Amino acid sequence: MNRGFEEKSGQRRPSVTRRYLIKAGVAAGAAFGPQAITGFPVVWAQKYKNVTLRQFGTGVSNQNPIAERCKKDLGITLEMTAMDTDSAVQRAVTQPHSYDIADIEYFSVKKVFPTGVMQPLDVRRIKYFNEIVPIFITGKFPAKASPSDQGTAPHKVEFVDGPHSRTFAKHPTEWATMIPTIYNADTLGIRPDLVGRPIRNWRDLVDPAFAGKAATLNIPGIGIMDAAMVMESLGKMKYGDKGNMTRDEIDKTIAFMIETKKRGQFRAFWKTFDESVNLMASGEVVIQSMWSPAVAVVRSRGIPCTYQPLEEGYRGWAGGLGLAAHLNGPLRDAAYEYINWYLSGWVGAYLNRQGYYSAVLQTAKNYMTPNEWGFWMEGKPATADILSPQGKVMEKAGTVRDGGSFYERMGRVACWNSVMDEDRYMVQKWNEFIAA
């Protein structure tokens, strides 16, 4: 019997209970030990071969190989649309009948879910729910350093009280806003061959030594979080919650960023993955806000690039799959089947190989070699070259992942991407900074 499942009406169904919460913590830890579950055969009938599901989200996880594998395993055709973070939020709210699956970030849930365009998910229908990493359920790791609750920590917006609720629950229930799929701990990317000295702190992003060769991302709710990490690193501010600033904190942060911009610190303000890669690969920028897989792409081109661990910690983010409010009947059944497939291992391993983390560690491990798992998850030196999902060499044998193991990285998240109470005001001020 799978851990965390109880017999109900002759079927195995997960239950969100105190016993589950304990088991979920144990399961997450066990994934790194010799007793990790292995060898799940994944076999699905082709009963959904004529079904099409429309999914949108950022390019981080809306990737063609996932759709191709889904078609092969389930028969479901995924019509994927990739867009930037802000556009994804706008589409979720303003075009609710244009999609079936919303692949959005957890901080977006705070904006999107209360509008009623998405429906709560019955976690009893999610086969691997009791194996999901517990930071999405309780916000904590068992007997390990746990990420900060600053910002929109995923567990804060994971549950609602019932099948028709739009209000976030303070404790786990049997109704979820989304099912988590992907997450990571973000920091600065650097060109170690060009910066000329060790980089240890967020404040290095605004060091005048890198004037004209630094960049930050132009996504307001994320960019201002990086700015806050810089401000605290400089000792200029101590925020009550970097992910939920007061107007005064926003004003002071933006004033500093405008001052820094006017002195010529920033070469660019990027919005997309490819922009960040090109800036770093070309050498136009030597230090910038960056995403882990973008660093990996630069390195795969033979160009030195480091995803630099910093003393103040990381900025965390997470994403998941949610259901449109209009979805019902056979299409909704297919959507649940798709989500169960998503958590069953192949996709998790595919995402892990790009530097992200999967929501269910045990199943992803079954699709990875011991060398891959040791490198990406345990912080061990690679025993052979590490390859991308496309078969390109990403890391040479002997390399250790920047930042170390899963627990070392995710346990040092200092704040999460968020939607602030003063979000509209913050966006207005951020746009003043970009236009300055």
Side-chain angles (χ1 to χ4, degrees):
M1 187 173 182
N2 284 357
R3 290 171 296 167
F5 284 83
E6 294 182 350
E7 298 291 343
K8 292 186 178 180
S9 303
Q11 294 182 326
R12 292 186 304 173
R13 295 165 67 86
S15 60
V16 183
T17 62
R18 181 175 180 275
R19 180 174 63 187
Y20 156 64
L21 298 179
I22 295 171
K23 287 185 177 182
V26 173
F32 297 93
Q35 298 177 355
I37 301 172
T38 59
F40 270 96
V42 182
V43 179
W44 273 276
Q46 295 293 305
K47 63 183 290 188
Y48 297 108
K49 63 182 179 181
N50 295 319
V51 171
T52 296
L53 293 174
R54 301 165 299 163
Q55 176 176 308
F56 78 96
T58 67
V60 167
S61 48
N62 283 266
Q63 301 181 38
N64 287 335
I66 295 176
E68 292 164 4
R69 182 74 181 207
C70 178
K71 180 69 172 179
K72 176 183 176 182
D73 287 352
L74 290 181
I76 292 174
T77 298
L78 278 179
E79 290 183 353
M80 286 183 166
T81 303
M83 56 190 65
D84 64 58
T85 299
D86 291 339
S87 297
V89 175
Q90 184 177 22
R91 178 167 180 174
V93 175
T94 64
Q95 302 177 53
H97 291 281
S98 70
Y99 61 89
D100 304 308
I101 305 288
D103 181 3
I104 58 176
E105 295 181 59
Y106 268 84
F107 80 94
S108 303
V109 174
K110 194 173 179 181
K111 278 186 176 180
V112 175
F113 204 88
T115 68
V117 297
M118 293 168 62
Q119 61 179 280
L121 289 104
D122 183 350
V123 304
R124 294 167 299 178
R125 297 186 65 176
I126 305 301
K127 181 177 181 181
Y128 299 101
F129 189 82
N130 289 355
E131 307 297 337
I132 289 172
V133 171
I135 55 175
F136 291 96
I137 312 303
T138 64
K140 302 295 182 183
F141 282 134
K144 300 282 183 181
S146 292
S148 168
D149 249 11
Q150 286 198 28
T152 307
H155 73 98
K156 293 180 180 179
V157 294
E158 176 62 29
F159 297 100
V160 291
D161 289 320
H164 307 293
S165 178
R166 300 183 187 181
T167 304
F168 302 119
K170 294 183 179 179
H171 304 287
T173 71
E174 292 185 336
W175 299 96
T177 56
M178 295 202 303
I179 300 302
T181 55
I182 186 173
Y183 52 107
N184 211 342
D186 283 353
T187 182
L188 298 176
I190 67 168
R191 282 286 300 271
D193 56 326
L194 299 178
V195 291
R197 66 169 177 81
I199 302 297
R200 298 189 176 93
N201 303 94
W202 278 91
R203 61 178 174 267
D204 291 325
L205 180 64
V206 297
D207 187 329
F210 306 129
K213 295 184 177 181
T216 192
L217 74 173
N218 184 16
I219 301 172
I222 304 174
I224 198 167
M225 300 279 281
D226 286 358
M229 297 290 278
V230 169
M231 291 282 281
E232 285 198 338
S233 177
L234 286 166
K236 289 181 174 290
M237 287 279 290
K238 181 63 177 176
Y239 299 83
D241 183 342
K242 291 183 285 294
N244 196 19
M245 300 180 194
T246 65
R247 286 200 173 202
D248 182 60
E249 289 172 337
I250 293 168
D251 288 343
K252 290 177 179 177
T253 303
I254 295 300
F256 171 77
M257 292 299 284
I258 290 174
E259 174 191 336
T260 304
K261 181 184 179 183
K262 287 184 174 179
R263 73 165 188 247
Q265 185 68 19
F266 299 110
R267 170 68 180 83
F269 307 95
W270 59 266
K271 271 201 168 187
T272 69
F273 180 98
D274 289 341
E275 286 178 298
S276 70
V277 169
N278 294 336
L279 286 168
M280 192 64 86
S282 67
E284 289 182 67
V285 163
V286 302
I287 184 170
Q288 67 172 352
S289 302
M290 214 166 176
W291 297 333
S292 177
V295 172
V297 169
V298 175
R299 279 152 77 147
S300 72
R301 298 179 182 178
I303 300 168
C305 192
T306 301
Y307 207 44
Q308 185 61 49
L310 301 171
E311 291 178 2
E312 299 88 358
Y314 297 86
R315 175 178 48 74
W317 63 270
L321 300 176
L323 303 185
H326 67 80
L327 206 60
N328 57 35
L331 273 182
R332 181 165 59 187
D333 292 341
Y336 273 104
E337 192 81 353
Y338 164 60
I339 292 172
N340 283 327
W341 169 82
Y342 204 110
L343 300 180
S344 68
W346 186 90
V347 181
Y350 177 80
L351 296 174
N352 287 350
R353 291 189 189 100
Q354 298 174 68
Y356 303 114
Y357 292 122
S358 55
V360 180
L361 301 179
Q362 294 90 331
T363 57
K365 184 177 183 180
N366 301 328
Y367 286 82
M368 300 175 76
T369 67
N371 179 43
E372 289 175 324
W373 185 262
F375 175 82
W376 289 114
M377 305 301 295
E378 296 179 321
K380 294 179 179 179
T383 58
D385 289 350
I386 296 294
L387 305 181
S388 73
Q390 293 74 36
K392 295 180 63 176
V393 174
M394 296 176 71
E395 304 287 354
K396 294 290 187 181
T399 306
V400 175
R401 182 177 186 178
D402 296 335
S405 73
F406 170 79
Y407 281 125
E408 289 174 309
R409 297 180 84 253
M410 290 309 301
R412 296 193 60 243
V413 167
C415 60
W416 292 89
N417 287 358
S418 69
V419 172
M420 302 181 186
D421 294 341
E422 294 286 354
D423 179 66
R424 290 188 178 182
Y425 182 75
M426 180 276 295
V427 172
Q428 173 191 332
K429 299 300 289 186
W430 179 266
N431 290 336
E432 288 179 13
F433 157 60
I434 295 298

